[in-house]
Amino acid sequence: MTVLPCGIDLRYPAVNKNLLDDIQKHGLLLSQFEKGFRATPWSFVLRNELVVALGDILIVAEAEINSGTMRSVEFAIKMGKKIFVLPQRLGESGATNKLLSEAKAEAIYDIDAFVARFCKSENLQEIKEDAFMEFCKNNPTYDEVLQRYPERIFEAELSGEIEILNGRVLVL
């Protein structure tokens, strides 16, 4: 699922046209804007409010004090959502460190323990032995993964399990 900052008929950014078309074909595209509406700075804020509303929790990997991410944090607080952050070094990602110091967020120190907390599976080992993830650990090209696992690649990218960088798939 992807929530768009523009009309449902537009593909923004244009470089993601094929990805968004595949998500629409195999998943779900959502937009709260009329057809033809072009993305604006304020439409991203509205989009992020919807994204926060759709989730059970909010995970913030990194954020600075006056960043757009902090607007999402404000939405999560107003909606009573639990907020999790990745710990950062002093002087980096000031907002996530501030959220921790103010006890507005909980740090994720152990990703396996965190996933197990929210995992539907009783056995976390099943997730670790996932054939798709094992394949991605070998640093395949985007095309190789798309050909072999077309139903999983987009979901994995959107969920943050993998990243596509320079035409290669990286496990995060």
Side-chain angles (χ1 to χ4, degrees), residues 123-160:
N123 186 354
L124 188 58
Q125 190 63 28
E126 289 175 22
I127 293 170
K128 288 185 173 182
E129 294 175 358
D130 179 297
F132 168 79
M133 293 303 289
E134 290 300 316
F135 182 75
C136 291
K137 286 180 183 177
N138 295 318
N139 197 25
T141 67
Y142 173 80
D143 291 334
E144 290 170 336
V145 178
L146 184 61
Q147 183 177 24
R148 191 160 177 180
Y149 296 99
E151 71 287 347
R152 282 286 315 275
I153 189 167
F154 305 115
E155 178 185 330
E157 183 181 18
L158 290 172
S159 68

mmCIF file of all heavy atoms in Angstrom, residues 123-160:
data_model
loop_
_atom_site.group_PDB
_atom_site.id
_atom_site.type_symbol
_atom_site.label_atom_id
_atom_site.label_comp_id
_atom_site.label_asym_id
_atom_site.label_seq_id
_atom_site.Cartn_x
_atom_site.Cartn_y
_atom_site.Cartn_z
ATOM 1 N N ASN A 123 6.651 -18.133 15.686
ATOM 2 C CA ASN A 123 8.044 -18.526 15.545
ATOM 3 C C ASN A 123 8.804 -17.515 14.696
ATOM 4 O O ASN A 123 8.672 -17.493 13.484
ATOM 5 C CB ASN A 123 8.119 -19.924 14.897
ATOM 6 C CG ASN A 123 9.522 -20.465 14.845
ATOM 7 O OD1 ASN A 123 10.479 -19.786 15.191
ATOM 8 N ND2 ASN A 123 9.645 -21.699 14.387
ATOM 9 N N LEU A 124 9.620 -16.685 15.334
ATOM 10 C CA LEU A 124 10.397 -15.681 14.628
ATOM 11 C C LEU A 124 11.375 -16.329 13.658
ATOM 12 O O LEU A 124 11.725 -15.746 12.638
ATOM 13 C CB LEU A 124 11.142 -14.788 15.626
ATOM 14 C CG LEU A 124 11.849 -13.571 15.066
ATOM 15 C CD1 LEU A 124 10.871 -12.663 14.329
ATOM 16 C CD2 LEU A 124 12.552 -12.818 16.167
ATOM 17 N N GLN A 125 11.793 -17.549 13.921
ATOM 18 C CA GLN A 125 12.731 -18.239 13.032
ATOM 19 C C GLN A 125 12.127 -18.423 11.640
ATOM 20 O O GLN A 125 12.833 -18.364 10.643
ATOM 21 C CB GLN A 125 13.125 -19.598 13.636
ATOM 22 C CG GLN A 125 14.270 -20.267 12.916
ATOM 23 C CD GLN A 125 15.560 -19.463 12.994
ATOM 24 O OE1 GLN A 125 15.792 -18.715 13.930
ATOM 25 N NE2 GLN A 125 16.394 -19.594 11.981
ATOM 26 N N GLU A 126 10.808 -18.595 11.558
ATOM 27 C CA GLU A 126 10.150 -18.732 10.259
ATOM 28 C C GLU A 126 10.391 -17.495 9.410
ATOM 29 O O GLU A 126 10.602 -17.584 8.209
ATOM 30 C CB GLU A 126 8.636 -18.911 10.444
ATOM 31 C CG GLU A 126 8.229 -20.233 11.017
ATOM 32 C CD GLU A 126 6.735 -20.281 11.282
ATOM 33 O OE1 GLU A 126 5.982 -19.504 10.667
ATOM 34 O OE2 GLU A 126 6.326 -21.096 12.111
ATOM 35 N N ILE A 127 10.345 -16.340 10.033
ATOM 36 C CA ILE A 127 10.559 -15.092 9.315
ATOM 37 C C ILE A 127 12.005 -15.012 8.833
ATOM 38 O O ILE A 127 12.286 -14.631 7.709
ATOM 39 C CB ILE A 127 10.212 -13.890 10.208
ATOM 40 C CG1 ILE A 127 8.712 -13.878 10.489
ATOM 41 C CG2 ILE A 127 10.641 -12.579 9.554
ATOM 42 C CD1 ILE A 127 8.293 -12.894 11.525
ATOM 43 N N LYS A 128 12.941 -15.373 9.688
ATOM 44 C CA LYS A 128 14.356 -15.297 9.336
ATOM 45 C C LYS A 128 14.708 -16.228 8.184
ATOM 46 O O LYS A 128 15.618 -15.963 7.429
ATOM 47 C CB LYS A 128 15.218 -15.619 10.555
ATOM 48 C CG LYS A 128 15.220 -14.524 11.588
ATOM 49 C CD LYS A 128 16.182 -14.866 12.689
ATOM 50 C CE LYS A 128 16.332 -13.710 13.637
ATOM 51 N NZ LYS A 128 17.298 -13.999 14.690
ATOM 52 N N GLU A 129 13.990 -17.338 8.047
ATOM 53 C CA GLU A 129 14.290 -18.316 7.015
ATOM 54 C C GLU A 129 13.491 -18.093 5.740
ATOM 55 O O GLU A 129 13.473 -18.937 4.865
ATOM 56 C CB GLU A 129 14.051 -19.721 7.565
ATOM 57 C CG GLU A 129 15.014 -20.086 8.671
ATOM 58 C CD GLU A 129 14.711 -21.422 9.310
ATOM 59 O OE1 GLU A 129 13.724 -22.078 8.926
ATOM 60 O OE2 GLU A 129 15.464 -21.812 10.215
ATOM 61 N N ASP A 130 12.874 -16.952 5.618
ATOM 62 C CA ASP A 130 12.085 -16.599 4.453
ATOM 63 C C ASP A 130 12.964 -16.663 3.197
ATOM 64 O O ASP A 130 14.022 -16.049 3.128
ATOM 65 C CB ASP A 130 11.540 -15.182 4.668
ATOM 66 C CG ASP A 130 10.711 -14.694 3.513
ATOM 67 O OD1 ASP A 130 11.263 -14.572 2.408
ATOM 68 O OD2 ASP A 130 9.524 -14.418 3.730
ATOM 69 N N ALA A 131 12.529 -17.416 2.184
ATOM 70 C CA ALA A 131 13.325 -17.616 0.964
ATOM 71 C C ALA A 131 13.577 -16.296 0.239
ATOM 72 O O ALA A 131 14.666 -16.084 -0.314
ATOM 73 C CB ALA A 131 12.608 -18.599 0.040
ATOM 74 N N PHE A 132 12.605 -15.423 0.229
ATOM 75 C CA PHE A 132 12.775 -14.117 -0.410
ATOM 76 C C PHE A 132 13.916 -13.340 0.234
ATOM 77 O O PHE A 132 14.798 -12.823 -0.456
ATOM 78 C CB PHE A 132 11.469 -13.312 -0.317
ATOM 79 C CG PHE A 132 11.628 -11.870 -0.692
ATOM 80 C CD1 PHE A 132 11.681 -11.482 -2.024
ATOM 81 C CD2 PHE A 132 11.719 -10.889 0.286
ATOM 82 C CE1 PHE A 132 11.833 -10.150 -2.369
ATOM 83 C CE2 PHE A 132 11.867 -9.562 -0.053
ATOM 84 C CZ PHE A 132 11.923 -9.197 -1.388
ATOM 85 N N MET A 133 13.917 -13.270 1.560
ATOM 86 C CA MET A 133 14.949 -12.516 2.264
ATOM 87 C C MET A 133 16.319 -13.178 2.089
ATOM 88 O O MET A 133 17.324 -12.491 1.942
ATOM 89 C CB MET A 133 14.606 -12.359 3.742
ATOM 90 C CG MET A 133 13.389 -11.485 3.990
ATOM 91 S SD MET A 133 13.538 -9.828 3.293
ATOM 92 C CE MET A 133 14.766 -9.142 4.391
ATOM 93 N N GLU A 134 16.341 -14.492 2.086
ATOM 94 C CA GLU A 134 17.602 -15.200 1.872
ATOM 95 C C GLU A 134 18.164 -14.874 0.485
ATOM 96 O O GLU A 134 19.360 -14.652 0.323
ATOM 97 C CB GLU A 134 17.426 -16.708 2.043
ATOM 98 C CG GLU A 134 17.161 -17.132 3.476
ATOM 99 C CD GLU A 134 18.288 -16.735 4.430
ATOM 100 O OE1 GLU A 134 19.467 -16.906 4.086
ATOM 101 O OE2 GLU A 134 17.973 -16.237 5.523
ATOM 102 N N PHE A 135 17.286 -14.834 -0.512
ATOM 103 C CA PHE A 135 17.704 -14.491 -1.868
ATOM 104 C C PHE A 135 18.254 -13.062 -1.911
ATOM 105 O O PHE A 135 19.290 -12.804 -2.526
ATOM 106 C CB PHE A 135 16.513 -14.639 -2.829
ATOM 107 C CG PHE A 135 16.849 -14.354 -4.259
ATOM 108 C CD1 PHE A 135 17.561 -15.271 -5.019
ATOM 109 C CD2 PHE A 135 16.435 -13.178 -4.859
ATOM 110 C CE1 PHE A 135 17.873 -15.009 -6.349
ATOM 111 C CE2 PHE A 135 16.742 -12.916 -6.182
ATOM 112 C CZ PHE A 135 17.461 -13.827 -6.936
ATOM 113 N N CYS A 136 17.589 -12.152 -1.234
ATOM 114 C CA CYS A 136 18.007 -10.745 -1.227
ATOM 115 C C CYS A 136 19.330 -10.524 -0.505
ATOM 116 O O CYS A 136 20.037 -9.550 -0.787
ATOM 117 C CB CYS A 136 16.913 -9.871 -0.608
ATOM 118 S SG CYS A 136 15.442 -9.753 -1.646
ATOM 119 N N LYS A 137 19.681 -11.398 0.407
ATOM 120 C CA LYS A 137 20.948 -11.261 1.134
ATOM 121 C C LYS A 137 22.162 -11.413 0.215
ATOM 122 O O LYS A 137 23.257 -11.015 0.568
ATOM 123 C CB LYS A 137 21.033 -12.285 2.265
ATOM 124 C CG LYS A 137 20.148 -11.940 3.437
ATOM 125 C CD LYS A 137 20.258 -12.987 4.526
ATOM 126 C CE LYS A 137 19.320 -12.666 5.669
ATOM 127 N NZ LYS A 137 19.353 -13.713 6.698
ATOM 128 N N ASN A 138 21.951 -11.972 -0.976
ATOM 129 C CA ASN A 138 23.043 -12.162 -1.930
ATOM 130 C C ASN A 138 23.252 -10.956 -2.831
ATOM 131 O O ASN A 138 23.956 -11.061 -3.835
ATOM 132 C CB ASN A 138 22.785 -13.418 -2.768
ATOM 133 C CG ASN A 138 22.811 -14.662 -1.919
ATOM 134 O OD1 ASN A 138 23.660 -14.809 -1.056
ATOM 135 N ND2 ASN A 138 21.855 -15.545 -2.149
ATOM 136 N N ASN A 139 22.610 -9.829 -2.497
ATOM 137 C CA ASN A 139 22.781 -8.575 -3.228
ATOM 138 C C ASN A 139 22.405 -8.702 -4.711
ATOM 139 O O ASN A 139 23.170 -8.300 -5.591
ATOM 140 C CB ASN A 139 24.213 -8.069 -3.066
ATOM 141 C CG ASN A 139 24.352 -6.615 -3.444
ATOM 142 O OD1 ASN A 139 23.399 -5.858 -3.387
ATOM 143 N ND2 ASN A 139 25.543 -6.213 -3.823
ATOM 144 N N PRO A 140 21.223 -9.264 -5.008
ATOM 145 C CA PRO A 140 20.826 -9.423 -6.409
ATOM 146 C C PRO A 140 20.444 -8.075 -7.027
ATOM 147 O O PRO A 140 20.240 -7.089 -6.318
ATOM 148 C CB PRO A 140 19.591 -10.327 -6.307
ATOM 149 C CG PRO A 140 19.003 -9.970 -4.984
ATOM 150 C CD PRO A 140 20.184 -9.716 -4.085
ATOM 151 N N THR A 141 20.328 -8.068 -8.349
ATOM 152 C CA THR A 141 19.853 -6.859 -9.012
ATOM 153 C C THR A 141 18.347 -6.737 -8.790
ATOM 154 O O THR A 141 17.656 -7.730 -8.499
ATOM 155 C CB THR A 141 20.129 -6.883 -10.525
ATOM 156 O OG1 THR A 141 19.328 -7.915 -11.121
ATOM 157 C CG2 THR A 141 21.607 -7.087 -10.829
ATOM 158 N N TYR A 142 17.854 -5.527 -8.957
ATOM 159 C CA TYR A 142 16.419 -5.266 -8.832
ATOM 160 C C TYR A 142 15.643 -6.151 -9.804
ATOM 161 O O TYR A 142 14.636 -6.757 -9.444
ATOM 162 C CB TYR A 142 16.159 -3.786 -9.109
ATOM 163 C CG TYR A 142 14.706 -3.421 -9.174
ATOM 164 C CD1 TYR A 142 13.969 -3.235 -8.010
ATOM 165 C CD2 TYR A 142 14.070 -3.261 -10.392
ATOM 166 C CE1 TYR A 142 12.623 -2.906 -8.068
ATOM 167 C CE2 TYR A 142 12.728 -2.924 -10.464
ATOM 168 C CZ TYR A 142 12.009 -2.751 -9.288
ATOM 169 O OH TYR A 142 10.682 -2.423 -9.358
ATOM 170 N N ASP A 143 16.117 -6.250 -11.050
ATOM 171 C CA ASP A 143 15.425 -7.056 -12.064
ATOM 172 C C ASP A 143 15.378 -8.533 -11.688
ATOM 173 O O ASP A 143 14.371 -9.204 -11.921
ATOM 174 C CB ASP A 143 16.085 -6.882 -13.434
ATOM 175 C CG ASP A 143 15.864 -5.489 -14.007
ATOM 176 O OD1 ASP A 143 14.859 -4.848 -13.638
ATOM 177 O OD2 ASP A 143 16.691 -5.052 -14.825
ATOM 178 N N GLU A 144 16.462 -9.050 -11.110
ATOM 179 C CA GLU A 144 16.481 -10.458 -10.690
ATOM 180 C C GLU A 144 15.416 -10.722 -9.620
ATOM 181 O O GLU A 144 14.704 -11.728 -9.670
ATOM 182 C CB GLU A 144 17.861 -10.832 -10.141
ATOM 183 C CG GLU A 144 18.943 -10.905 -11.181
ATOM 184 C CD GLU A 144 20.338 -11.044 -10.585
ATOM 185 O OE1 GLU A 144 20.568 -10.653 -9.407
ATOM 186 O OE2 GLU A 144 21.210 -11.550 -11.311
ATOM 187 N N VAL A 145 15.326 -9.813 -8.666
ATOM 188 C CA VAL A 145 14.345 -9.985 -7.593
ATOM 189 C C VAL A 145 12.927 -9.827 -8.138
ATOM 190 O O VAL A 145 12.027 -10.594 -7.799
ATOM 191 C CB VAL A 145 14.602 -9.007 -6.432
ATOM 192 C CG1 VAL A 145 13.547 -9.170 -5.347
ATOM 193 C CG2 VAL A 145 15.995 -9.204 -5.853
ATOM 194 N N LEU A 146 12.736 -8.836 -8.990
ATOM 195 C CA LEU A 146 11.413 -8.596 -9.575
ATOM 196 C C LEU A 146 10.946 -9.800 -10.380
ATOM 197 O O LEU A 146 9.785 -10.187 -10.310
ATOM 198 C CB LEU A 146 11.443 -7.346 -10.454
ATOM 199 C CG LEU A 146 10.112 -6.908 -11.049
ATOM 200 C CD1 LEU A 146 9.110 -6.583 -9.943
ATOM 201 C CD2 LEU A 146 10.314 -5.700 -11.941
ATOM 202 N N GLN A 147 11.859 -10.423 -11.110
ATOM 203 C CA GLN A 147 11.502 -11.594 -11.910
ATOM 204 C C GLN A 147 11.145 -12.789 -11.026
ATOM 205 O O GLN A 147 10.198 -13.518 -11.297
ATOM 206 C CB GLN A 147 12.654 -11.956 -12.847
ATOM 207 C CG GLN A 147 12.328 -13.108 -13.766
ATOM 208 C CD GLN A 147 13.468 -13.395 -14.734
ATOM 209 O OE1 GLN A 147 14.620 -13.078 -14.472
ATOM 210 N NE2 GLN A 147 13.138 -14.010 -15.845
ATOM 211 N N ARG A 148 11.887 -12.987 -9.950
ATOM 212 C CA ARG A 148 11.703 -14.168 -9.108
ATOM 213 C C ARG A 148 10.613 -13.989 -8.052
ATOM 214 O O ARG A 148 9.905 -14.939 -7.719
ATOM 215 C CB ARG A 148 13.031 -14.502 -8.445
ATOM 216 C CG ARG A 148 13.046 -15.836 -7.770
ATOM 217 C CD ARG A 148 14.447 -16.296 -7.570
ATOM 218 N NE ARG A 148 14.478 -17.551 -6.865
ATOM 219 C CZ ARG A 148 15.579 -18.181 -6.550
ATOM 220 N NH1 ARG A 148 16.737 -17.680 -6.886
ATOM 221 N NH2 ARG A 148 15.535 -19.310 -5.909
ATOM 222 N N TYR A 149 10.494 -12.782 -7.500
ATOM 223 C CA TYR A 149 9.542 -12.519 -6.414
ATOM 224 C C TYR A 149 8.738 -11.248 -6.677
ATOM 225 O O TYR A 149 8.768 -10.305 -5.880
ATOM 226 C CB TYR A 149 10.283 -12.372 -5.075
ATOM 227 C CG TYR A 149 10.995 -13.608 -4.628
ATOM 228 C CD1 TYR A 149 12.360 -13.768 -4.835
ATOM 229 C CD2 TYR A 149 10.304 -14.632 -3.985
ATOM 230 C CE1 TYR A 149 13.028 -14.909 -4.415
ATOM 231 C CE2 TYR A 149 10.960 -15.774 -3.561
ATOM 232 C CZ TYR A 149 12.325 -15.906 -3.786
ATOM 233 O OH TYR A 149 12.959 -17.039 -3.369
ATOM 234 N N PRO A 150 7.986 -11.194 -7.765
ATOM 235 C CA PRO A 150 7.267 -9.951 -8.081
ATOM 236 C C PRO A 150 6.231 -9.573 -7.017
ATOM 237 O O PRO A 150 5.950 -8.399 -6.810
ATOM 238 C CB PRO A 150 6.589 -10.258 -9.422
ATOM 239 C CG PRO A 150 6.502 -11.748 -9.465
ATOM 240 C CD PRO A 150 7.705 -12.248 -8.725
ATOM 241 N N GLU A 151 5.705 -10.564 -6.324
ATOM 242 C CA GLU A 151 4.667 -10.291 -5.325
ATOM 243 C C GLU A 151 5.241 -9.796 -3.997
ATOM 244 O O GLU A 151 4.514 -9.282 -3.167
ATOM 245 C CB GLU A 151 3.811 -11.547 -5.089
ATOM 246 C CG GLU A 151 4.514 -12.673 -4.332
ATOM 247 C CD GLU A 151 5.573 -13.448 -5.120
ATOM 248 O OE1 GLU A 151 5.645 -13.319 -6.351
ATOM 249 O OE2 GLU A 151 6.349 -14.176 -4.473
ATOM 250 N N ARG A 152 6.528 -9.941 -3.781
ATOM 251 C CA ARG A 152 7.124 -9.577 -2.490
ATOM 252 C C ARG A 152 7.980 -8.320 -2.502
ATOM 253 O O ARG A 152 8.116 -7.660 -1.488
ATOM 254 C CB ARG A 152 8.019 -10.720 -1.978
ATOM 255 C CG ARG A 152 7.329 -11.886 -1.350
ATOM 256 C CD ARG A 152 6.767 -11.662 0.038
ATOM 257 N NE ARG A 152 7.588 -10.986 1.017
ATOM 258 C CZ ARG A 152 8.490 -11.536 1.804
ATOM 259 N NH1 ARG A 152 8.740 -12.819 1.728
ATOM 260 N NH2 ARG A 152 9.148 -10.808 2.682
ATOM 261 N N ILE A 153 8.596 -8.004 -3.629
ATOM 262 C CA ILE A 153 9.601 -6.941 -3.639
ATOM 263 C C ILE A 153 9.027 -5.597 -3.218
ATOM 264 O O ILE A 153 9.632 -4.870 -2.430
ATOM 265 C CB ILE A 153 10.336 -6.842 -4.994
ATOM 266 C CG1 ILE A 153 11.523 -5.875 -4.863
ATOM 267 C CG2 ILE A 153 9.381 -6.465 -6.100
ATOM 268 C CD1 ILE A 153 12.493 -5.943 -6.018
ATOM 269 N N PHE A 154 7.843 -5.248 -3.676
ATOM 270 C CA PHE A 154 7.282 -3.932 -3.360
ATOM 271 C C PHE A 154 6.883 -3.850 -1.896
ATOM 272 O O PHE A 154 7.128 -2.849 -1.222
ATOM 273 C CB PHE A 154 6.099 -3.631 -4.281
ATOM 274 C CG PHE A 154 6.473 -3.744 -5.729
ATOM 275 C CD1 PHE A 154 5.917 -4.710 -6.536
ATOM 276 C CD2 PHE A 154 7.431 -2.900 -6.278
ATOM 277 C CE1 PHE A 154 6.291 -4.832 -7.858
ATOM 278 C CE2 PHE A 154 7.809 -3.012 -7.605
ATOM 279 C CZ PHE A 154 7.240 -3.979 -8.401
ATOM 280 N N GLU A 155 6.269 -4.913 -1.407
ATOM 281 C CA GLU A 155 5.889 -4.959 0.005
ATOM 282 C C GLU A 155 7.128 -4.849 0.898
ATOM 283 O O GLU A 155 7.129 -4.116 1.875
ATOM 284 C CB GLU A 155 5.147 -6.271 0.284
ATOM 285 C CG GLU A 155 4.743 -6.442 1.725
ATOM 286 C CD GLU A 155 4.115 -7.808 1.981
ATOM 287 O OE1 GLU A 155 3.489 -8.371 1.056
ATOM 288 O OE2 GLU A 155 4.264 -8.300 3.098
ATOM 289 N N ALA A 156 8.177 -5.563 0.538
ATOM 290 C CA ALA A 156 9.405 -5.549 1.341
ATOM 291 C C ALA A 156 10.068 -4.177 1.318
ATOM 292 O O ALA A 156 10.597 -3.708 2.326
ATOM 293 C CB ALA A 156 10.370 -6.617 0.846
ATOM 294 N N GLU A 157 10.021 -3.517 0.163
ATOM 295 C CA GLU A 157 10.613 -2.173 0.087
ATOM 296 C C GLU A 157 9.800 -1.183 0.915
ATOM 297 O O GLU A 157 10.356 -0.392 1.676
ATOM 298 C CB GLU A 157 10.695 -1.701 -1.363
ATOM 299 C CG GLU A 157 11.367 -0.345 -1.488
ATOM 300 C CD GLU A 157 11.443 0.170 -2.910
ATOM 301 O OE1 GLU A 157 10.710 -0.318 -3.789
ATOM 302 O OE2 GLU A 157 12.246 1.086 -3.133
ATOM 303 N N LEU A 158 8.499 -1.242 0.805
ATOM 304 C CA LEU A 158 7.643 -0.324 1.552
ATOM 305 C C LEU A 158 7.712 -0.561 3.057
ATOM 306 O O LEU A 158 7.603 0.369 3.847
ATOM 307 C CB LEU A 158 6.191 -0.436 1.075
ATOM 308 C CG LEU A 158 5.942 0.102 -0.321
ATOM 309 C CD1 LEU A 158 4.530 -0.222 -0.772
ATOM 310 C CD2 LEU A 158 6.189 1.594 -0.382
ATOM 311 N N SER A 159 7.909 -1.808 3.461
ATOM 312 C CA SER A 159 7.970 -2.110 4.889
ATOM 313 C C SER A 159 9.364 -1.861 5.467
ATOM 314 O O SER A 159 9.555 -1.969 6.671
ATOM 315 C CB SER A 159 7.568 -3.567 5.145
ATOM 316 O OG SER A 159 8.551 -4.442 4.621
ATOM 317 N N GLY A 160 10.324 -1.534 4.603
ATOM 318 C CA GLY A 160 11.666 -1.232 5.083
ATOM 319 C C GLY A 160 12.551 -2.443 5.287
ATOM 320 O O GLY A 160 13.622 -2.329 5.878
#
